[in-house]
Amino acid sequence: MAADAAQSRNTGWRNAIILILIWEIVGRLDLIAGGALPSLSEILLRLWVDRADYPQHVIATLYASGLGFIIGNAIGILAGIIFALSPTTLRLFRGVNIAIFALPPIAIAPILVLTLSGMAPRVVLATLGVYFVTMTATVIGLSQTDKRTSDLIQAYGGTSWTTLRLVQLRGALPTILSAFRIAAPNAVLGAILAEFGGGGRWGLGTYLLGSLGRGEPDRLWGIGLTATAIAGLSYLGFALLSNRFLGATRAVTLNAATPDDATPTKSVGHNFLLTLGTIALPLTLWWAYIKLSGVPDLISKTPWGVIDYLFLGKTAAVAQAKLLQALAETLPITFVGMALGLLFAFLLAICSRLFPQAIKAFMPVALVTQTMPLVALTPLLVLMLGRGTSLTLWVTISVTFFPAFVTLAQGISLVPRGTQELPRAYGAGPWTEMRMVTIPASLPYLFAATRLTVPRALLGVMIAEWLATGKGLGNLLNQSRGYLDFGMIWSVAAVSVLVSIILYQLVVIAERRVLRRFGMQTAE
Amino acid sequence: MTLSLNRRHFLSTAAAAAAASMVPKGAFAATPLTMQAAWINDAEFAGYFLAMDEGYYTSEGLDLTYLSGGPDVIPESTIIAGRADLALTTPDTTIKAIADQGAPFKIIGAQYQKNPIGIVSLVDSGINSPADLVRKTLAVPPVNVISVEAMLKLNGIEAGAVNIVPYAYDPTPLIKGEIDASLDFTTNVPYTISQQGAEATSFLLYDFGYTTYNDTVVVTEDVLKNKRAELVAWLRASRKGWNENFIDPAVWPPKWADTHFKGTGRTIDNEIFFNGAQQPLMETPSGIFSMSEDDIEANLSALGEVGIVGSRDMFDTTLLEEI
């Protein structure tokens, strides 16, 4: 076994080195897009030349993302505990939680810059990237504790508080720590996005903006790889921490208890009120945010302000027409992009089972695509793909596939060995086994991946529209800034969140129906 | 100015501390004033950096806080929200906001007499006037589409005749020929392109009928009423800074290599080029920031062509008279 592991590590290294060599040759010879893709050595040399520029920018980015990480996790864990203790609260906040999950950051960044000042937009955007991940992990972690241990506490007269303290929180720790891994890069990316737009003096996003005008891809890649390194190191740090901490605390035996049915039957009226609250709460919070920030009505719009702008004001007809046209341009390609992103993630997940070594070599590349600010890659992308549908689709795939891939790969790896071995025993090859067992068995994870993909697909399309194609919602958002059309800026943000929520809900409904038919449980 | 990073509260304290160390003891307390610039630090704001460093604002009794801008920062919104007293804006957005939304703005000066935005292309492509853009691909930052459409209309070209795509701040697609031309500050991009071994040419929208100012100095009516003396003092100190800067545009940018221009991602040579190129667009016999009746009229009529209906009373030239 040890020899096997060593050999597989060697193949991994070999593949990575081959990849870097190809990159080096292609970059040095300016083979791609007339030199818009620099080689790794050129990027590293440039990083060395620019080394004096980096410390203050990196410190600013670390400060904003670190603060956002702490605040987001604090709120996330606290909210997770409250939600786990009170399912009613969880249902009431469902609308808020989905909205936060579905917010397209590029639509929200301008709004934050409008309403907040200084470091605040960066910290808030980082916080928003962290909250949902940690909150969800806390709820899941707390509700999945081993029933046997909590029974023990109760048998000795422990209250629900002691159960929470001694059993549930401890049991949830692995899930929460693994959420930190995902949350940390999110915080970094959120901070950089807000730095890019928000006009501060320091931060990698600001540095990127100033560097863009030079037309020097090695500098842009240097900044992108620095962002990747920060995100990657924070991921690695928390991965190591969780291994260190938790090596010995995993349950040895399987918990056979089925989770309680989470939806107790209540009266129709009660359910109706809850649903109403779920919808009203995000709108109330939006309204309260504007009132509390004290920003004048002219530039900040309440929910009512947006309705007034879109339906009642004197320019309502024009605004509606613009918005509908943008939606007509954005939505169809969002669906196609989402489907392709999922398909790519699915193929990748299957390959990771069938050809694990090839996928391992691909993972660093995948990670770079997740943390490299796309604005730095725009010249490369438009030179290679033009400014049409194919660029939009590729950008959307690159924005969507990674979380979906991780979820699907997890699903595929959790398929019990016994079921997999059955078709093998009957002489089936790996493909037949995949088709008959693994793929159907990981259906819950396919749905979970689809839920993750929906809002990101919209984000990907909007980014492509903003940077390259000049169509749809992404372009409308930026043009509205040029017209000082505050009503439209808020409307685009609200509509893009709403579209994400609706698509998300549609997936959830389909998920419940299908999984119920198959007698399966929802995966998170 | 590392200061602009921090929250305003900290900022004003820090700025006050910095100012206090410069002001000789016994001088009366300086009045705080905050300005919102239109972009990240570059030579576009050289006059203000100079006036800050040389203490021109302090000797006018001002304690100036300088906020840099960026793509998502709408300078007009910063002054409406009360986070700054004055902002450098584009006249089209400001006038449109006053006309359409009743925003309480007054334009009290204009940094650029001629708007530096223009069409930049490679010499070989032969684009020297709006007519040459027909059937070409032009990259325009989404916020500036309004200006380009105005220029095309003023020159009798249908908007559909030019393929307009977004410009994402990077000139590489232009250099590589993916696009034929782009809209940018003509004071800036031609230098970058020359650094890449290509030769650029450009023309100003201003020279083809889009006769507007840029970086107009805008305040709210409230601030105009309550801080009139401070605004005049700001105009006076800033004009002094710009005049000093233009004695030799190559002198000041290198001095800011470790302060205002540190780590901006741009080069000092680029800033020197920028500073020299912007001189003829800013200087005018009646002094920096001037707004002559003819020029105001030219602004209003150019903007009127794209349905932005402004009027003379949106401009207040009386502060300039008090400098």
Side-chain angles (χ1 to χ4, degrees), chain A residues 34 57 201 213-214 387 481 484, chain B residues 71 73 101 176 260 262-263:
Chain A
H57 293 304
R201 180 69 176 85
R214 299 177 64 156
R387 292 173 188 269
R481 180 205 176 288
L484 234 62
Chain B
V73 178
Q101 304 178 56
K176 303 282 183 209
H260 305 294
K262 180 175 164 55

Side-chain angles (χ1 to χ4, degrees), chain A residues 114-420:
Chain A
L114 269 181
T115 46
L116 301 168
S117 60
M119 288 294 256
R122 305 168 175 201
V123 176
V124 173
L125 211 57
T127 305
L128 287 173
V130 168
Y131 163 79
F132 186 83
V133 178
T134 304
M135 183 276 295
T136 316
T138 311
V139 174
I140 295 170
L142 289 178
S143 53
Q144 278 180 347
T145 39
D146 200 325
K147 199 88 176 75
R148 295 167 298 180
T149 40
S150 48
D151 285 347
L152 182 74
I153 300 281
Q154 271 155 20
Y156 280 95
T159 60
S160 64
W161 171 243
T162 23
T163 318
L164 179 74
R165 201 160 46 87
L166 292 175
V167 175
Q168 287 182 292
L169 276 176
R170 289 184 189 194
L173 206 57
T175 337
I176 295 175
L177 275 178
S178 69
F180 284 179
R181 279 188 311 197
I182 305 169
N186 277 0
V188 176
L189 287 177
I192 290 179
L193 182 69
E195 286 163 3
F196 185 83
R201 180 69 176 85
W202 301 105
L204 285 173
T206 317
Y207 190 44
L208 179 63
L209 177 65
S211 300
L212 277 174
R214 299 177 64 156
E216 292 169 351
D218 49 354
R219 158 76 66 80
L220 304 182
W221 276 80
I223 299 170
L225 289 186
T226 308
T228 307
I230 296 177
L233 284 176
S234 55
Y235 178 95
L236 208 69
F238 281 105
L240 286 177
L241 193 71
S242 77
N243 278 346
R244 247 297 146 82
F245 250 85
L246 308 162
T249 58
R250 284 199 201 101
V252 182
T253 55
L254 201 69
N255 173 21
T258 50
D260 296 330
D261 188 1
T263 46
T265 39
K266 289 264 170 64
S267 72
V268 180
H270 180 90
N271 274 331
F272 177 75
L273 277 181
L274 262 181
T275 311
L276 206 67
T278 307
I279 296 169
L281 198 57
L283 298 173
T284 315
L285 285 178
W286 171 4
W287 180 84
Y289 170 73
I290 289 185
K291 292 298 155 194
L292 288 174
S293 68
V295 179
D297 293 348
L298 186 69
I299 55 174
S300 69
K301 305 288 176 197
T302 58
W304 175 249
V306 168
I307 291 170
D308 183 60
Y309 172 82
L310 283 179
F311 298 104
L312 307 169
K314 60 179 183 295
T315 55
V318 185
Q320 270 182 39
K322 273 192 197 174
L323 197 59
L324 285 176
Q325 199 208 333
L327 274 171
E329 286 167 354
T330 300
L331 282 184
I333 199 143
T334 304
F335 291 121
V336 181
M338 190 180 93
L340 288 178
L342 269 176
L343 184 70
F344 187 67
F346 192 68
L347 292 177
L348 214 57
I350 292 179
C351 289
S352 74
R353 184 62 180 267
L354 298 174
F355 319 104
Q357 288 313 317
I359 297 302
K360 261 187 199 153
F362 175 72
M363 285 328 281
V365 182
L367 204 69
V368 171
T369 63
Q370 297 312 293
T371 48
M372 188 79 176
L374 276 165
V375 65
L377 297 183
T378 309
L380 182 67
L381 292 172
V382 296
L383 286 168
M384 284 171 60
L385 303 166
R387 292 173 188 269
T389 315
S390 74
L391 176 129
T392 312
L393 291 178
W394 276 110
V395 168
T396 311
I397 291 173
S398 92
V399 170
T400 48
F401 84 91
F402 194 71
F405 162 69
V406 173
T407 312
L408 285 169
Q410 190 192 355
I412 287 179
S413 71
L414 286 179
V415 175
R417 238 196 137 102
T419 47
Q420 280 175 347

Side-chain angles (χ1 to χ4, degrees), chain B residues 212-225:
Chain B
T212 63
Y213 296 137
N214 204 347
D215 282 347
T216 31
V217 183
V218 174
V219 295
T220 60
E221 285 169 356
D222 264 358
V223 169
L224 182 60
K225 203 167 69 191

